[in-house]
Amino acid sequence: SGLPNLRTRRYRNNQSETGSKGITMQVAAVSYYFNGKLNTILGLRRDDTDRFTVAAAPGPNNAELVLTRREFGEAVNTPTAGVVWYPIPQIGPFFNFSESFSGIPLGDPMLNSKTQPDAPRGRTKEYGPYFRLLGERLQGSVRYYDSISDGRIVNAPGLANINAMWNAMG
């Protein structure tokens, strides 16, 4: 420093880093039966993900950084299955079922917990008629679907502040 008798120091008051690596595998089978009157699709997807998060913040008793590293992984299988039946070549009812998931959130664990929550999961069922008109130049569907999501985390106002107070109290 250019000023005599002035002590200075350089410090870092926070740090964060996140990362992930993953492998996704899929297999699907599409089949036609009875000269194309019955069509099926079956599929399975597997996602295997490893994630980490590193955070450093000033400790509650002094200004020294406290480093926190979390590592977590997930392996999730999500199936899908569908069927279309064409009693006449132009129109046919269909049904499809599929599952889904979202990755584990990268932030802090849930309040009063040292582990991340499970990955949110979803299920969808859909059905309706498919149509193939004008020599299959016009194709489409009318569908109804019902989708459910379980375990999704919704951030409430002030949740981060509550977590910070909880962590500061140990």
Side-chain angles (χ1 to χ4, degrees):
S1 148
L3 300 174
N5 299 324
L6 179 63
R7 294 178 56 194
T8 62
R9 71 180 176 110
R10 197 174 146 187
Y11 71 96
R12 179 178 289 189
N13 64 355
N14 65 35
Q15 175 181 339
S16 64
E17 179 182 353
T18 59
S20 67
K21 64 180 179 176
I23 298 172
T24 298
M25 296 176 280
Q26 300 180 99
V27 62
V30 178
S31 301
Y32 305 96
Y33 304 97
F34 309 112
N35 294 325
K37 288 188 179 212
L38 183 67
N39 303 327
T40 61
I41 184 169
L42 297 172
L44 181 65
R45 176 177 167 156
R46 180 174 177 85
D47 292 274
D48 193 348
T49 305
D50 294 315
R51 294 179 172 195
F52 73 90
T53 178
V54 177
N61 299 328
N62 55 35
E64 290 185 27
L65 288 181
V66 176
L67 184 67
T68 305
R69 180 180 177 97
R70 284 193 211 71
E71 296 184 35
F72 45 97
E74 59 190 329
V76 180
N77 295 321
T78 50
T80 185
V83 63
V84 182
W85 175 57
Y86 288 102
I88 60 173
Q90 295 83 10
I91 192 164
F94 76 91
F95 175 79
N96 190 62
F97 170 82
S98 62
E99 290 185 358
S100 63
F101 83 101
S102 298
I104 295 174
L106 279 174
D108 289 332
M110 299 296 282
L111 188 62
N112 198 22
S113 174
K114 298 294 183 197
T115 61
Q116 295 298 112
D118 290 335
R121 301 293 304 251
R123 290 174 308 283
T124 300
K125 297 175 192 170
E126 57 184 335
Y127 55 89
Y130 268 121
F131 56 88
R132 305 183 292 195
L133 307 172
L134 305 173
E136 297 191 14
R137 290 184 304 225
L138 177 62
Q139 298 184 19
S141 66
V142 176
R143 59 184 65 209
Y144 171 82
Y145 71 94
D146 184 15
S147 186
I148 296 172
S149 179
D150 293 324
R152 196 176 86 193
I153 297 173
V154 178
N155 284 332
L159 186 60
N161 295 335
I162 293 170
N163 277 340
M165 287 187 294
W166 189 267
N167 289 332
M169 292 183 344

